[in-house]
Amino acid sequence: MRKIVLFFSLCTLLMLSACGNDSSSESIKVIKFADAGWDSIRVHNSIAQLIVEKGYGYDTEVTSGTTAATMQALEQGDINVYMEIWSDNIKDVYDKAIDSGKVIKVTTNFDDNSQGLYVPTYVIKGDPERGIKAVAPDLKTVEDLAKYPEIFQDPEDKSKGRIVGAPSSWILSEYLETKLKTYGLDKKYNYLAPGSDSAIVADLAGAYKKGKPWVGYYWSPTWVTASYDLTLLEDNPYDKKVWDENKGTEFPPNDVVIAVNKDLPTQAKDVVDFLSKYKTSSELTESALNYMNETGAEPEEAAHWWMKQHEDVWTAWVSDEVAQKVKAALK
């Protein structure tokens, strides 16, 4: 049986941890997955849940919350599996959890992702079919934005351009603000930190529909980068020393990992063995996200579709016996 559990605050997590769920090495019947709030983690949860339920006979639950809250729950054992940790985006928290021994990395889900400042490609190349002319044909890098503040004009302050950043609650928003100061872009642009991912998408979608210039933060894999023709602006090659000092490079390589609570290898060894073989890519992940966007499917429906489309991928993660059970459930 699949259940969804919502944790609305860190206090709730602490209370539940204190009152119950005593982590131990004993076997368990329910595997709890983390949902930190974006579609790709929900799709990977649904794929893994289906295999865990139908192939191995466990029940599953999903615990929703912020990245900070769900990571703490993983350390405490209130969550067993985290299918998509963007390890470098929360490097200090992730490294501390791993170093403490409370969390174990079992595999890298995918490592070919990208993130940074994007513009619609028509801004650079135009779009003859839509009658859109290229307004910034020489725009290639983040630093090149200094030439075009009037192109990306802030509708509320026409003396400057506007760059849409990462959600204000994400550490990435601080990184981006530092980057803009490093390149002197803060003198020519206002930085807007939206309240949520959906606010970024709404702003981009509104501009894209009208064929207007837009520049802002996003990442791949997402249905957004799969559905819209966007160009990631180039940045200086990643250099750890420079990045740590002033963020004046492209974003660091970001392993998106699958991690489990320290007790799960003894509580459900078969599940951890399966998860250790779980491996996808940005392209594979994006195909499911694009399906969701085009059809209005929920993550669980997209997972079913994806598994039928990519049987050769997921069957390599499990035994023939488990694969047959899962295939039967997909019919």
Side-chain angles (χ1 to χ4, degrees):
M1 179 184 298
R2 182 173 302 179
K3 299 178 181 178
I4 298 178
V5 179
L6 297 176
F7 281 139
F8 292 103
S9 70
L10 187 58
C11 293
T12 306
L13 289 172
L14 293 172
M15 184 183 301
L16 288 173
S17 178
C19 296
N21 196 6
D22 179 25
S23 295
S24 71
S25 61
E26 297 178 2
S27 61
I28 56 176
K29 295 181 179 180
V30 181
I31 308 295
K32 300 174 184 177
F33 290 77
D35 174 8
W38 54 88
D39 285 337
S40 56
I41 193 172
R42 291 168 179 150
V43 168
H44 285 296
N45 279 347
S46 295
I47 293 169
Q49 285 178 268
L50 200 151
I51 293 173
V52 168
E53 291 174 359
K54 305 303 181 182
Y56 295 98
Y58 295 85
D59 290 337
T60 69
E61 293 180 1
V62 175
T63 298
S64 300
T66 64
T67 299
T70 49
M71 279 298 296
Q72 181 170 5
L74 182 67
E75 290 187 66
Q76 295 172 335
D78 294 310
I79 287 174
N80 308 113
V81 179
Y82 215 120
M83 291 298 296
E84 194 177 301
I85 298 177
W86 288 63
S87 58
D88 202 80
N89 286 359
I90 55 167
K91 184 173 176 57
D92 291 343
V93 172
Y94 174 73
D95 287 348
K96 183 179 178 181
I98 294 294
D99 291 344
S100 73
K102 296 178 181 178
V103 172
I104 300 170
K105 172 188 172 182
V106 293
T107 191
T108 297
N109 190 336
F110 54 89
D111 58 7
D112 58 342
N113 54 86
S114 60
Q115 58 183 323
L117 294 179
Y118 285 83
V119 298
T121 301
Y122 59 70
V123 170
I124 301 170
K125 298 182 178 181
D127 186 344
E129 290 187 7
R130 297 179 64 192
I132 301 172
K133 295 182 179 180
V135 291
D138 297 324
L139 176 59
K140 294 182 179 179
T141 71
V142 174
E143 291 182 88
D144 285 342
L145 287 169
K147 307 172 188 175
Y148 300 104
E150 70 284 355
I151 298 298
F152 302 101
Q153 191 177 69
D154 186 337
E156 297 180 3
D157 177 6
K158 298 185 185 305
S159 67
K160 286 187 174 184
R162 185 183 72 174
I163 293 173
V164 179
S168 55
S169 61
W170 296 9
I171 187 64
L172 294 176
S173 188
E174 295 180 21
Y175 294 170
L176 286 164
E177 284 194 88
T178 300
K179 181 187 289 291
L180 300 191
K181 290 177 182 177
T182 295
Y183 293 155
L185 294 173
D186 59 317
K187 297 180 177 66
K188 297 186 176 183
Y189 286 84
N190 293 318
Y191 177 78
L192 173 66
S196 65
D197 165 37
S198 59
I200 303 176
V201 177
D203 198 66
L204 167 60
Y208 201 98
K209 184 177 181 180
K210 298 176 182 177
K212 300 294 185 181
W214 183 92
V215 58
Y217 170 80
Y218 222 72
W219 72 98
S220 175
T222 61
W223 71 263
V224 173
T225 49
S227 302
Y228 293 108
D229 185 2
L230 304 176
T231 294
L232 176 64
L233 296 180
E234 298 173 12
D235 210 334
N236 296 319
Y238 175 69
D239 180 292
K240 186 178 186 304
K241 183 178 180 181
V242 176
W243 176 262
D244 290 344
E245 181 181 347
N246 59 27
K247 312 305 179 194
T249 75
E250 62 189 3
F251 278 80
N254 209 330
D255 283 353
V256 179
V257 308
I258 298 174
V260 300
N261 176 266
K262 65 179 177 59
D263 293 321
L264 195 63
T266 49
Q267 293 172 327
K269 182 179 181 300
D270 48 359
V271 170
V272 175
D273 287 345
F274 144 59
L275 291 172
S276 70
K277 300 180 182 70
Y278 196 110
K279 176 74 174 178
T280 64
S281 66
S282 288
E283 183 178 2
L284 285 168
T285 302
E286 217 161 56
S287 67
L289 299 176
N290 200 34
Y291 176 80
M292 286 178 63
N293 182 54
E294 290 179 348
T295 65
E298 294 297 318
E300 187 173 349
E301 296 171 302
H304 277 72
W305 172 87
W306 186 93
M307 293 177 75
K308 290 178 180 178
Q309 296 293 314
H310 301 288
E311 186 176 294
D312 60 319
V313 176
W314 68 264
T315 54
W317 306 333
V318 298
S319 67
D320 290 342
E321 180 183 358
V322 169
Q324 291 305 316
K325 291 179 181 179
V326 176
K327 286 179 189 178
L330 287 171
K331 292 180 179 179

